[in-house]
Amino acid sequence: MPVTVVDCRDLDREVEFFTERAGFRVRLVSPADDPRRFVVERGGTEVELRRAEIDRPARLRITADGPRHEITSPGGSVVEFERESTEVVLPPNRPSLTVVEPDRGGFGVGRAGMQYRDLLPDRWGGRFIASHIRIAEEGDVADWVHFHRIRFQMIFVAAGWVDVVYEDQGEPFRMDAGDCVLQPPEIRHRVLRSSAGLEVIEIGCPAEHDTLADHDLDLPTPTIDRERDFSGQRFVRHVAAASTTQPWVDPSFVARETGIGEATGGVAGAVVVSAASAAQSPVLTHDGEFVLIVGIDGDAVLDLGEHSIDLTSRTSVAIPAGTTWCWSRHSADHSALVVSLPANGVRLS
């Protein structure tokens, strides 16, 4: 890391200021028998304090909790404390009917060696992002403890399995195909290992958001707090094998409710939909911010006015408000992930 050098006539008083008032810690002293040089650090900022005949102060900026303020050392160095911005900026929503088929667009290499395929290329003006993520080989994932500054983010396992661990949620656990989690804002987490051929659908808002490492936190944490509030949301783990279905919008559909709607206070919802009968579905619509349908198993046909879309596995359809659609055909094993903002945004037309 870059080092800021500060020359000071009274080295002892400068060291005392930086360690006792500014919150730095000593990393190096040289020489031990007659210190003429100290290196102190705080949160990635490193300062070298050197004994000298004149003061050559510096100005430093530190990110910290609390209001903005600054303090001045005996030698004239100024340490400015700024509150780290955690505000999530939402770009204007620019919806478009977006269909991405499984063979459209290749996979690029993203974070921790994971392969990403974009399911929403225009990002609806930067408001939303949807990704099809895969890991080809079984084994440990080169991930680290991190968190995201987001409004909404969920992870759905479409194929394979993945081991993950989350802040205050107990020991690491395995997500199998059909399972999903809601990752509330700034919850610390880490991907540990995966099966060969892991496939994940990740949906978030906004499209561009910060991912920050937390090198000071070890997971799992000793505290378990299943109801912990993270900026108005709580963590949810939905296990497909332990869930039941219920009617969805119309009796011709059944759905697995993931619990995301309740956990986000209605900001967003997610269900896994399948047909309860062979009949064509009723006509549906929504008047919210966002609806995304992703084929999981089997195949179906979505009719959206003049558009007829083959909803095969991993085909995604982003639907603007006011659009009407129906399932005109579906195989017996068809299922689809339906994500909406707000929760329960899909309704009968």
Side-chain angles (χ1 to χ4, degrees):
M1 67 181 72
V3 179
T4 300
V5 176
V6 175
D7 288 339
C8 39
R9 289 181 295 173
D10 194 333
L11 180 59
D12 291 340
R13 291 185 68 197
E14 289 297 298
V15 171
E16 180 182 7
F17 167 84
F18 273 92
T19 56
E20 296 188 10
R21 292 196 58 200
F24 284 70
R25 59 186 179 185
V26 175
R27 194 178 67 79
L28 180 148
V29 181
S30 179
D33 60 338
D34 182 22
R36 295 188 299 274
R37 174 173 166 257
F38 284 76
V39 176
V40 297
E41 63 87 21
R42 173 175 173 168
T45 298
E46 197 166 279
V47 179
E48 181 179 342
L49 303 171
R50 303 189 307 195
R51 180 176 292 154
E53 293 183 358
I54 61 173
D55 290 314
R56 289 189 177 89
R59 187 175 188 92
L60 305 162
R61 181 174 294 173
I62 300 295
T63 299
D65 293 332
R68 183 194 175 281
H69 67 287
E70 59 183 46
I71 55 178
T72 304
S73 78
S77 290
V78 176
V79 181
E80 179 183 346
F81 294 91
E82 280 194 335
R83 184 177 181 86
E84 187 173 16
S85 174
T86 59
E87 180 182 2
V88 176
V89 178
L90 296 179
N93 199 15
R94 295 189 175 91
S96 65
L97 178 61
T98 307
V99 181
V100 177
E101 298 170 340
D103 57 354
R104 175 181 168 184
F107 284 84
V109 178
R111 189 184 61 79
M114 302 176 192
Q115 298 176 331
Y116 283 71
R117 185 172 71 95
D118 202 340
L119 299 182
L120 200 62
D122 66 1
R123 308 288 173 87
W124 279 23
R127 186 83 161 199
F128 296 98
I129 185 170
S131 303
H132 177 196
I133 305 170
R134 69 184 183 186
I135 297 178
E137 298 181 1
E138 180 174 348
D140 294 341
V141 176
D143 198 13
W144 57 88
V145 177
H146 65 281
F147 61 98
H148 308 284
R149 293 218 169 101
I150 40 86
R151 175 192 181 208
F152 164 71
Q153 188 177 53
M154 67 166 290
I155 307 293
F156 180 91
V157 178
W161 57 261
V162 60
D163 292 339
V164 292
V165 60
Y166 284 87
E167 179 183 5
D168 290 356
Q169 306 305 313
E171 294 297 315
F173 59 87
R174 177 162 294 182
M175 296 173 64
D176 293 306
D179 296 351
C180 70
V181 293
L182 171 73
Q183 294 184 169
E186 300 200 18
I187 188 171
R188 274 61 171 171
H189 56 284
R190 183 182 176 191
V191 181
L192 301 175
R193 60 192 62 84
S194 79
S195 67
L198 170 71
E199 294 184 57
V200 164
I201 306 298
E202 179 179 290
I203 301 162
C205 172
E208 291 190 7
H209 54 263
D210 293 335
T211 296
L212 298 94
D214 189 336
H215 298 301
D216 297 323
L217 184 71
D218 292 325
L219 295 179
T221 50
T223 302
I224 298 177
D225 184 0
R226 309 287 189 196
E227 300 301 316
R228 178 176 168 181
D229 184 283
F230 295 88
S231 300
Q233 301 181 25
R234 60 179 174 81
F235 176 79
V236 165
R237 175 190 177 190
H238 170 76
V239 180
S243 66
T244 58
T245 60
Q246 58 192 34
W248 179 72
V249 182
D250 181 88
S252 61
F253 283 105
V254 292
R256 284 194 281 115
E257 172 58 62
T258 63
I260 287 175
E262 180 181 354
T264 61
V267 168
V271 294
V272 180
V273 173
S274 56
S277 70
Q280 175 176 308
S281 80
V283 177
L284 307 175
T285 190
H286 82 97
D287 51 13
E289 282 184 58
F290 180 75
V291 165
L292 181 76
I293 302 175
V294 182
I296 303 300
D297 293 314
D299 62 87
V301 174
L302 284 186
D303 284 338
L304 295 91
E306 299 177 354
H307 303 277
S308 185
I309 299 165
D310 291 326
L311 190 65
T312 57
S313 295
R314 312 303 179 264
T315 297
S316 66
V317 185
I319 304 176
T323 306
T324 58
W325 74 93
C326 72
W327 272 260
S328 62
R329 184 187 63 78
H330 50 79
S331 63
D333 61 344
H334 170 66
S335 65
L337 173 67
V338 181
V339 179
S340 66
L341 277 80
N344 305 318
V346 178
R347 59 178 176 80
L348 295 174
S349 175

